[in-house]
Amino acid sequence: GENVEQHPSTLSVQEGDSAVIKCTYSDSASNYFPWYKQELGKRPQLIIDIRSNVGEKKDQRIAVTLNKTAKHFSLHITETQPEDSAVYFCAASAGGTSYGKLTFGQGTILTVHP
Amino acid sequence: SAVISQKPSRDICQRGTSLTIQCQVDSQVTMMFWYRQQPGQSLTLIATANQGSEATYESGFVIDKFPISRPNLTFSTLTVSNMSPEDSSIYLCSTDGQASFPTDTQYFGPGTRLTVL
């Protein structure tokens, strides 16, 4: 089955700096890669996603890049703010009979210091 | 996206007992999924619940321990049976919010925080 590795496990940045979180996946059939933000005691919230026919996607301060050849994808947050502090999870889905099934990375605790 | 609710939001249970968690969606959806999030950990898929068919379970999860019902297109339940402290987790349901054209985009319910003593 699919395996998703996520790094780093913790990330501490100063307000205004950029943050980058990286994930690798093992199943070449995976074609959908979402990112979730989970604040303490809250549900995971979808913040951005990318499909395998696209190399990069941006939404204001966040962007995701995908390298299918290397099987890795990354989340980039620019101009970080204290409210960006949360746990971020990457995930992968293979479609077909696995449609909608998500395999998650281990998570990254992001702390943005004012 | 669909509005997803879960009941109960949290519970404290004694070992050996069972708890049924409900997931309600405000629109008809084809696929619903159940995940477990152990304390401080990531999310792990338990099973897929599609209306009109038996739930399909992921490796490491069995129907006797986690029976699932999907009586209609807006509702599903997950039961955690014969609980032990190792079952203490957050249980979340997810759906794409679609009935006609399923997508792989998933939205999560608020979760049920279960503590087993």
Side-chain angles (χ1 to χ4, degrees):
Chain A
E2 175 66 278
N3 183 50
V4 178
E5 297 286 332
Q6 183 172 345
H7 299 280
S9 56
T10 61
L11 181 59
S12 182
V13 300
Q14 289 295 127
E15 182 177 1
D17 288 350
S18 295
V20 180
I21 303 170
K22 300 181 179 181
C23 290
T24 60
Y25 61 98
S26 62
D27 188 352
S28 57
S30 288
N31 56 16
Y32 174 66
F33 307 93
W35 286 88
Y36 289 87
K37 174 184 180 182
Q38 188 175 33
E39 297 176 82
L40 190 63
K42 301 287 184 64
R43 75 185 80 190
Q45 295 273 11
L46 178 68
I47 57 171
I48 195 167
D49 57 10
I50 192 168
R51 300 181 189 279
S52 59
N53 59 347
V54 176
E56 182 175 357
K57 184 177 179 181
K58 290 182 82 170
D59 183 3
Q60 299 183 353
R61 294 187 298 111
I62 61 173
V64 57
T65 58
L66 171 65
N67 183 326
K68 285 175 55 180
T69 303
K71 294 187 195 161
H72 67 71
F73 56 112
S74 300
L75 178 71
H76 304 253
I77 306 174
T78 59
E79 301 173 23
T80 54
Q81 301 167 3
E83 50 266 39
D84 294 328
S85 297
V87 182
Y88 290 81
F89 293 100
C90 63
S93 177
T97 57
S98 298
Y99 209 62
K101 296 183 181 181
L102 297 176
T103 300
F104 282 84
Q106 298 90 336
T108 297
I109 302 172
L110 174 65
T111 304
V112 180
H113 299 281
Chain B
S1 62
V3 176
I4 308 168
S5 59
Q6 286 185 233
K7 289 181 181 179
S9 59
R10 59 178 61 228
D11 207 341
I12 301 173
C13 301
Q14 297 298 319
R15 68 174 66 207
T17 62
S18 298
L19 177 71
T20 295
I21 301 167
Q22 300 177 8
C23 179
Q24 179 76 53
V25 188
D26 70 341
S27 60
Q28 294 184 336
V29 297
T30 302
M31 296 187 294
M32 295 180 76
F33 301 89
W34 287 97
Y35 287 81
R36 181 176 73 182
Q37 187 173 26
Q38 294 178 299
Q41 302 297 313
S42 184
L43 289 82
T44 301
L45 180 63
I46 298 172
T48 303
N50 290 337
Q51 198 266 339
S53 62
E54 295 288 324
T56 55
Y57 290 82
E58 299 300 306
S59 176
F61 298 96
V62 295
I63 187 171
D64 290 346
K65 177 67 176 177
F66 297 102
I68 287 171
S69 77
R70 182 77 200 274
N72 57 52
L73 291 175
T74 64
F75 187 77
S76 179
T77 67
L78 169 76
T79 298
V80 186
S81 303
N82 189 23
M83 289 184 284
S84 67
E86 293 71 36
D87 294 319
S88 297
S89 294
I90 299 171
Y91 293 87
L92 302 109
C93 62
S94 79
T95 178
D96 63 354
Q98 302 287 334
S100 301
F101 301 101
T103 78
D104 40 21
T105 305
Q106 292 295 304
Y107 301 97
F108 285 87
T112 295
R113 183 180 296 270
L114 171 61
T115 302
V116 184
L117 302 177

